[in-house]
Every structure is written in C-alpha cells, then in structure tokens.
Amino acid sequence: LRTKRGGPVPEAKAELAGGSFGQQRYRASVGGPVRGFDYYLGFTQELEDGFRQASDSNVTQLFAKVGRRIEDAGTDITGSFLFVTDHLEQPGTLPEAILNIDRTLNLTPGDFSDRTLYQGILNLRQELPAGFSAALNGFVRDLDREFFTVGLTSQSTNQTGILSGGLTAQVTNEATFGDHRNLFVAGVEYTRNDVNNKGSAQFTGLLPFLSETKTDENVVGIYFQESFDLIPEVLILNGGGRYDWD
C-alpha cells in the first residue's frame, strides 16, 4: 500500500463540494520538490447534518509526507504522519408506529461515537545487485475511541485506547527468463498492541456497572510469495504462504 507523495513539479489543489442533508466537503493539498526532497500535505474535512434528528457528522483528516530519492545509490526514504478525528451522532431505533409517521425523529438523542488517530510511518527501500531489493517499514499508531449510547431508561459508555507499533523487513527479487518475468518476495514482521478498555452502564435509579480490561499482544509473522509469468500478459502463476504467532 502506497500513499501519495510529492511529484517532480510543485502542485496545489483545492476542492469544495456539497450535497443533500447539509453535506459539505473541503479538500486541499500541496506537494512538490524542495532541495532534493519531495513533500506532500493534504487536508480533508467532511460535514453532514444527517437525515434524522441529532445525526450530525464531522470527519477531519490531515496527512503529511516527506521523502528523498537518491537515484545513484538506489535508495528511497519516506516518512509520513496521519491525523484523523471524527464525531458521529447516531440516532437510535424507532418503534414501527412512530416510524410510519416521521422517519426523522430521534427518541433518544445523545448517542455518538468519537475517534482520534495519530500515526507515524517510516519507510526505507534499498536496491541491491542481481535484481534484489530490501525494504524496512516501521510504524507507531495511537487510536482512541469512545461510544456513548442513550436508551429510554439507561445509558452506557465505552472507551478504548489502542497503542500499536511494528516493524516489517522484506526482501524482493525480480528476474526475467527470456520473456518470462519472475517475482519473489519474502519478509518478517513484528507488531505490538497495547489495548485498554473501560466501560460503564447505568439504568435509571440504579448504580452504574463498571468494567475495565487491558490486553498486551505481540504478533510475529513470516511470509513469502512467488509470481511467475507462465504465458506473458496472459497467464500468471502465483503461490505463497504465511505463518503468524502471537
């Protein structure tokens, strides 16, 4: 998976869009080269009032990426940062009798889900002799989620924080036998997840029910894939395997 990066010439874009139910979208980006590096910065915000009462939504995203290609050495380095936050109001269910009268009503306003994501990624790719190349990918991700639900006689909340980090090392070999292209990929990856979850629920007139769980997870995986053009541009044979341990 590759994200956008700056091109060989400076570029700037802006976009405005709108639609039914108060939908609005604002998008802007700039990118290009600067002193041997390339850069890209993008911003997006989407707003909507929703079809039903108390069903607003707000999603905001900021993405930045800096890269450097050293052509003579066959080296490509990129670093990126992603920030995403959203607030989604979620109307509850309606009895059939009310649904037939007005589908936009919301008997239990207040439900929402909030998410905030911070993510940093560093990529390094190095070309090697004999058609080989090596790649390293490292990431850190911090995700916070909150869900709040209102019922006719109850309310509940659930908060989850997930801190993740990992590293992937991969070797690739690309070779040609006559008109037949062969691609081999093998790698190993490690991921660490720390999950913290807190919840509470309360019925009217009663004490709240509280819960809290913590989970630490270590995952190691190895994989390989072979791709061979048996009949160029007509038939490609693929095979591979993966093993995960946690």
Side-chain angles (χ1 to χ4, degrees), residues 84-105:
V84 182
T85 182
D86 64 53
H87 176 79
L88 308 177
E89 296 181 349
Q90 300 175 321
T93 58
L94 290 175
E96 185 176 1
I98 296 179
L99 186 66
N100 293 331
I101 298 173
D102 189 350
R103 292 175 175 269
T104 68
L105 292 179

Side-chain angles (χ1 to χ4, degrees), residues 4-244:
K4 291 183 179 180
R5 67 186 297 177
V9 296
E11 184 179 54
K13 295 181 180 180
E15 176 185 327
L16 299 176
S20 303
F21 309 113
Q23 183 186 24
Q24 305 169 55
R25 182 172 68 229
Y26 307 94
R27 182 176 296 167
S29 64
V30 294
V34 56
R35 296 184 179 181
F37 292 83
D38 60 82
Y39 68 93
Y40 176 87
L41 179 64
F43 171 82
T44 302
Q45 185 176 36
E46 296 193 29
L47 308 169
E48 187 174 331
D49 295 335
F51 168 68
R52 297 178 59 191
Q53 296 175 357
S55 60
D56 296 4
S57 65
N58 184 342
V59 181
T60 303
Q61 175 179 301
L62 177 66
F63 177 74
K65 188 172 187 178
V66 177
R68 177 169 175 78
R69 291 186 177 96
I70 307 175
E71 300 292 348
D72 294 341
T75 304
D76 189 4
I77 305 173
T78 62
S80 64
F81 171 77
L82 174 65
F83 168 75
V84 182
T85 182
D86 64 53
H87 176 79
L88 308 177
E89 296 181 349
Q90 300 175 321
T93 58
L94 290 175
E96 185 176 1
I98 296 179
L99 186 66
N100 293 331
I101 298 173
D102 189 350
R103 292 175 175 269
T104 68
L105 292 179
N106 185 4
L107 297 182
T108 56
D111 294 18
F112 69 84
S113 66
D114 285 346
R115 296 178 181 85
T116 302
L117 169 70
Y118 299 90
Q119 178 174 276
I121 297 177
L122 181 64
N123 286 296
L124 169 63
R125 185 178 185 276
Q126 178 64 54
E127 294 182 3
L128 302 172
F132 284 90
S133 65
L136 288 174
N137 170 277
F139 78 94
V140 175
R141 179 172 57 241
D142 185 8
L143 173 63
D144 293 315
R145 302 181 302 192
E146 180 179 4
F147 299 95
F148 184 74
T149 304
V150 178
L152 293 175
T153 60
S154 66
Q155 66 180 37
S156 64
T157 183
N158 186 280
Q159 298 174 321
T160 303
I162 305 175
L163 180 61
S164 303
L167 181 68
T168 299
Q170 178 176 293
V171 175
T172 303
N173 177 258
E174 185 173 352
T176 302
F177 304 97
D179 295 332
H180 305 278
R181 176 176 175 269
N182 185 79
L183 181 65
F184 176 77
V185 177
V188 58
E189 61 183 35
Y190 168 76
T191 303
R192 164 78 179 191
N193 297 308
D194 295 330
V195 183
N196 187 6
N197 178 266
K198 295 181 180 181
S200 68
Q202 183 176 16
F203 290 93
T204 304
L206 299 178
L207 294 175
F209 303 94
L210 304 178
S211 65
E212 182 175 0
T213 59
K214 294 183 179 180
T215 304
D216 299 332
E217 182 182 40
N218 294 283
V219 183
V220 178
I222 57 175
Y223 61 91
F224 73 93
Q225 180 174 316
E226 173 76 20
S227 178
F228 182 73
D229 290 358
L230 187 62
I231 303 177
E233 300 183 0
V234 177
L235 180 61
I236 300 175
L237 296 180
N238 288 294
R242 181 182 178 94
Y243 174 79
D244 288 286

